[in-house]
Amino acid sequence: MRKSLFRRALVPAVAATLLLAPSPALAAPPPPFRDPSLPLTTRIDDLLSRLTADEKISLLHQYEPAIPRLGIGVFKTGTEALHGVAWSTDYDNKGAVVKADGTVFPQAIGLASTWDPALVKQVGAAVGQEARGFNVRNPTLWGLNLWAPVVNLLRDPRWGRNEEGYSEDPYLTGKFAVAYGHGIQGDDPRYLQAAPTLKHFLAYNNEANRDTSNSSVPPKILHDYDEQAFKIPLQAGAANAVMPSYNLVNGRPNHVSPDLDGKLRRWAPQDIAVVSDAGAPSNLVNSEKYYATKAEGDAAAIKAGLDSFTDNDTDGSITVAAVKEALAKGFLTMADVENADRHLLSLRFRLGEFDPPGRNPYAKITPAVIGSPEHQALARKTADEQMVLLRNNGGALPLNAARNKKIAVVGPLSNTLYEDWYSGAMQYKVTPVQGIRERLGSAGTVASSEGVDRIALKDLSTGRYLTAPATTGKITAGGTVAGTPESFDVYDWGAGKNTLRAAANGKFFSYSGGALVNDVDQPAGWFVQQQLKLDAQPDGSYVLEYAGNEVNEPWFGPNKFAVVGADGVLTISSPDAAHATKFGRDVLTSGVGSAVAAAEDADTAVVVVGSMPFINGREANDRTSTELAPAQRALIEAVQKANPHTVVVVENSYPTTGWDTLSVPGILWTSHAGQETGHAVADVLFGDVDPSGRLTQTWYASDAGLPSILDYDIAKTGMTYQYYRGKPLFPFGYGLSYTSFRYGGLRAVQAGGQVRVSVDVTNTGTRSGSDVVQLYSKNSGVQRLRDFSKLTLAPKETRTVRFEVPVADLATWDVSRDRSVVAAGVYEFSVGRNASELPASRPVYVPGEPALPRDLSRPTQAQNFDDYSGTTLTDTSKVSGTSVAAVAGSWVAYRNVALNGPARFSASVSAPAASQVTVRLDSPTGRVLGTVPVAATGDHYAYTTVTAALAKASGRHDVYLTFDGPVNMATFSLR
């Protein structure tokens, strides 16, 4: 009865409620920022208008927090994706690094070694797809702003991050940045699959003191070389963000460069974001001491064009507090904050974040794409194409599976694959041993040996051996005999660096809390704590020295040497070898002996050597040498002596020296090429794939002639193929095929604003093969790659390859005009297989601007010199401008100056102490026209004008300014 009454009472109440509720047709429309039919700027304006001041400021940190009242989630800039989705930092776990388990493609230098932009675009597309898949798994962890590609030019092979870049050449680098970037972005005209970020702007090629070192780059090198690698992909719309580098360029930290909001955004056809490198905003105050407070530094960065602060890990409060202080003190306005927000929101809108479901085609991607069979096949194809055949004497390669049924595959990299700092975790690994064994199948056999010594280390004071537990644990001195727990495999990586792997559990020694433990599968980590030195002592004993990356940090302390304590535990607790425990080094199994035994009766021996990506240079660590590790070299020599049919596979990510003194007939190079490395090695060794990779760097004969890694003026130092005058070990663009090619019928003509070049290429061999036809120009002694074409030809097939080079692309920086100029004159166009082998060339007259004498009667930027000695470049102010920084005995020269009796020299200078500038003609010791004293101005940025009368001079002369002391000169004139 009561239920019946309740029902009768409820019916009119519900009816009344339904009558009062709005009908679906009358529901409130979504706000304009969620309306995809509106222009992007309108949508951004609407969203900004809805944000509070605090919310606007909060968007400036890398982790842009959620704004629940507007239905906006967390957005994070920065998922590493250099050659596959690699890793990200976890907002929900205090910024812990989480590695991806997707497809691992060859390293970036390997991608470029394919000389196949279409293929690399496919790789970029796969990476973009997998980024979407990971984002679906966890959108907070896996952001869609990808921090790749790296386009810093590989001007010096000792740079620790060589593996991250594409090439020493700006044109080639630009082509691959465009390919990878467009692949990541996808082909939709409205939406981005993911958003690539170019790293690291600008002139960044050294790791030592990278946050405080100054790259002094003359204007011509800056504009024609370093900037081009960024300009090309930006102009092509192949990047949606740029990351400045840690270093200073010409005295100014890159994170406050006026180019961030200037050139970079002018070059890009669409809006781009500028995101900081990790910790770099704080460097402005801390290590660089460029600003006194974080409020000043952050404000200067924002005004220069920085939008997103990767600083203080996941803690955005420090950036927020600094920006609020800057606003309160007038360093910034809210308009400055909103300007930065616009760039970041533009990125988010193009990724489809604020659009209704079903509009963004990339939102349909699921985690099923991660490591898909299609991506695995692409990884193998890419690994195939990046292999470079460096030597093939006497037809040592390819191997014939019918005749080479018994193969010995030996060497420290023969049966392992290593990840690098910017690599994801491989879902599977095909090593060279596995790839060759699979290729031979049941018809052949593979013998293998890592070719490393297995040793035992005996404490000479007690006679006890170092012992490793069967599980992870501390190394102790307890064994009285050298059994498996006392057995360690020792790997030589060169420069005295070794790693020790415990036979007990197959894991490497690591430094942990002062002790050594056997706990990791491969050397890794920011501080690579698996590095040890076995230092030979005069009495024949050895001491263990810890050589992890952090030993030179001021906080590490003095102790670097190993001591066995009273409890038997091995710790790093001595400051010197004299107080360290002395060990006997007992060789239980000779690595060379094992490899030789495997190779002696093999049909062919394959020796796999190379680098360990966490040890032989990487981010934060440059190489001190590019030589092959001594033990690896000895292994090659011993195996070849035992079996003349020996070929070498060298697996590394930088040019290596010493090959000219090794006589092995066949040498094949590969980068650390990811999960499919072993298949690719077998594909090329057995000729299933023609080696079509080509070097993207000059391989120098030795380290001896290399200049300081801190000298960025490649014209002065003669670095890269553009300026190198010596004979390289292997030139830029070099690589052999299993067939031969002939170039003929070169034709070149300038017409209609284009230089048109064609050449006939013939496969003169008996098998199909691939070649990379390379077009170079030379003018004023500088050689430059202008175009290339990768083609595959059947035996005896001829194909005509045609190139068109816009005359405008021949422009170079003219310091006398302070702009890019196409210089009128004869250019030599050459076609060949690499930068040194150019069998066909033709001169072409190119119309352009004629050479003119310099006019120094107008104010001239001092940095626009033609030559210099002893000077560097520095910042004129903290906001803009570049000055010459002179010291006593230094000079700058200005060529071909038209003088007509100048009466007065005038210059804008600052000086820490009193000095003198002398104006001379035709040499640093030539005729003196005048001398001007420079008084100390105190502050670096306190400029004053100095003047002096000049003696009469006329005609064409070279003008030299010589300095008797430290002077910063911004501009000068001779009137």
Side-chain angles (χ1 to χ4, degrees), residues 688-726:
D688 302 325
V689 171
D690 189 56
S692 63
R694 301 293 182 263
L695 298 179
T696 64
Q697 279 180 279
T698 302
W699 284 38
Y700 302 100
S702 75
D703 294 330
L706 298 182
S708 166
I709 196 172
L710 300 177
D711 194 334
Y712 280 74
D713 186 352
I714 59 173
K716 275 275 194 187
T717 63
M719 294 292 282
T720 82
Y721 78 93
Q722 293 188 0
Y723 295 98
Y724 189 56
R725 297 297 173 260

Side-chain angles (χ1 to χ4, degrees), residues 606-766:
V606 178
V607 186
V608 189
V609 296
S611 66
M612 202 287 134
F614 277 84
I615 293 175
N616 294 108
R618 46 148 275 203
E619 183 172 358
N621 293 101
D622 292 317
R623 272 172 289 281
T624 56
S625 172
T626 60
E627 292 182 356
L628 190 66
Q632 295 186 21
R633 181 184 180 89
L635 178 68
I636 294 170
E637 292 173 336
V639 171
Q640 185 188 6
K641 184 177 180 181
N643 188 333
H645 301 287
T646 293
V647 296
V648 171
V649 176
V650 54
E651 183 181 347
N652 67 8
S653 44
Y654 55 90
T656 316
T657 59
W659 301 107
D660 53 335
T661 57
L662 284 169
S663 60
V664 283
I667 305 173
L668 180 68
W669 176 88
T670 175
S671 72
H672 293 277
Q675 61 201 42
E676 287 287 344
T677 300
H679 279 147
V681 166
D683 288 343
V684 174
L685 286 180
F686 285 93
D688 302 325
V689 171
D690 189 56
S692 63
R694 301 293 182 263
L695 298 179
T696 64
Q697 279 180 279
T698 302
W699 284 38
Y700 302 100
S702 75
D703 294 330
L706 298 182
S708 166
I709 196 172
L710 300 177
D711 194 334
Y712 280 74
D713 186 352
I714 59 173
K716 275 275 194 187
T717 63
M719 294 292 282
T720 82
Y721 78 93
Q722 293 188 0
Y723 295 98
Y724 189 56
R725 297 297 173 260
K727 183 179 180 181
L729 180 62
F730 298 114
F732 172 84
Y734 177 85
L736 303 176
S737 166
Y738 288 148
T739 187
S740 54
F741 299 91
R742 182 179 66 242
Y743 288 64
L746 179 65
R747 299 162 291 276
V749 63
Q750 189 281 132
Q754 306 276 338
V755 176
R756 295 185 174 91
V757 181
S758 63
V759 66
D760 300 327
V761 183
T762 301
N763 180 349
T764 58
T766 59

Side-chain angles (χ1 to χ4, degrees), residues 457-580:
L457 294 172
K458 180 192 290 186
D459 181 346
L460 294 178
S461 66
T462 66
R464 293 188 176 272
Y465 288 96
L466 292 186
T467 304
T471 56
T472 297
K474 293 180 180 179
I475 308 301
T476 60
T480 57
V481 295
T484 298
E486 291 75 34
S487 300
F488 314 120
D489 300 321
V490 57
Y491 295 79
D492 175 17
W493 300 113
K497 300 290 184 69
N498 299 285
T499 52
L500 293 176
R501 186 181 64 190
N505 67 348
K507 295 185 182 296
F508 286 90
F509 282 24
S510 294
Y511 176 80
S512 178
L516 291 177
V517 297
N518 56 329
D519 66 343
V520 299
D521 294 324
Q522 77 153 63
W526 182 253
F527 296 117
V528 185
Q529 297 181 309
Q530 294 77 43
Q531 300 179 83
L532 297 164
K533 293 182 178 181
L534 278 166
D535 297 334
Q537 301 301 296
D539 62 1
S541 67
Y542 290 83
V543 296
L544 268 176
E545 179 184 356
Y546 177 61
N549 300 60
E550 76 273 39
V551 294
N552 294 319
E553 298 289 341
W555 46 262
F556 184 76
N559 294 331
K560 299 178 184 179
F561 292 85
V563 175
V564 175
D567 57 358
V569 175
L570 185 71
T571 61
I572 304 299
S573 53
S574 172
D576 53 41
H579 296 88

